[in-house]
Amino acid sequence: MAEGEPREENHENSMKKMENCNKDLEKLLEEMEKITVRAAWMTYNIVTIHTNPGLASSMKRLEESFLRCKEQVQRRWQEGLQE
């Protein structure tokens, strides 16, 4: 019976290693899925911009307008706090 115990321990260790390996593989798979989604969106954005060159300039104007608006809101918020 003494010989059976090390085999059981080895089996348990092997099972734990396999479980850890499976968890690591699942984490890696999730990361790969996230990277794949990002790459797909980047590709979509590149194709969209190349298909419609005016889109890039429109996006730039939209971003500038947003930043100006954000600045105005912050300025008015500060003025409101000071009153």
Side-chain angles (χ1 to χ4, degrees):
M1 201 67 173
E3 291 180 17
E5 289 177 5
R7 285 186 181 173
E8 287 178 17
E9 289 177 13
N10 285 339
H11 179 70
E12 288 176 15
N13 288 339
S14 295
M15 293 302 294
K16 286 181 184 179
K17 287 180 183 179
M18 288 295 290
E19 288 174 8
N20 290 337
C21 184
N22 284 339
K23 288 178 185 177
D24 291 343
L25 287 173
E26 285 179 16
K27 288 178 185 177
L28 288 172
L29 181 59
E30 286 178 22
E31 288 299 316
M32 288 301 297
E33 288 174 348
K34 290 177 186 177
I35 291 169
T36 302
V37 169
R38 287 186 202 145
W41 275 110
M42 288 173 62
T43 303
Y44 174 80
N45 289 336
I46 289 169
V47 168
T48 303
I49 289 171
H50 282 230
T51 303
N52 185 0
L55 182 62
S57 61
S58 295
M59 291 298 290
K60 184 66 176 167
R61 285 195 312 267
L62 180 62
E63 181 181 16
E64 290 169 354
S65 297
F66 168 75
L67 293 174
R68 283 193 306 269
C69 180
K70 182 179 172 184
E71 184 179 313
Q72 287 292 328
V73 168
Q74 288 175 342
R75 188 177 303 135
R76 289 184 183 177
W77 176 260
Q78 290 298 324
E79 290 172 359
L81 289 177
Q82 291 174 355
E83 292 177 0

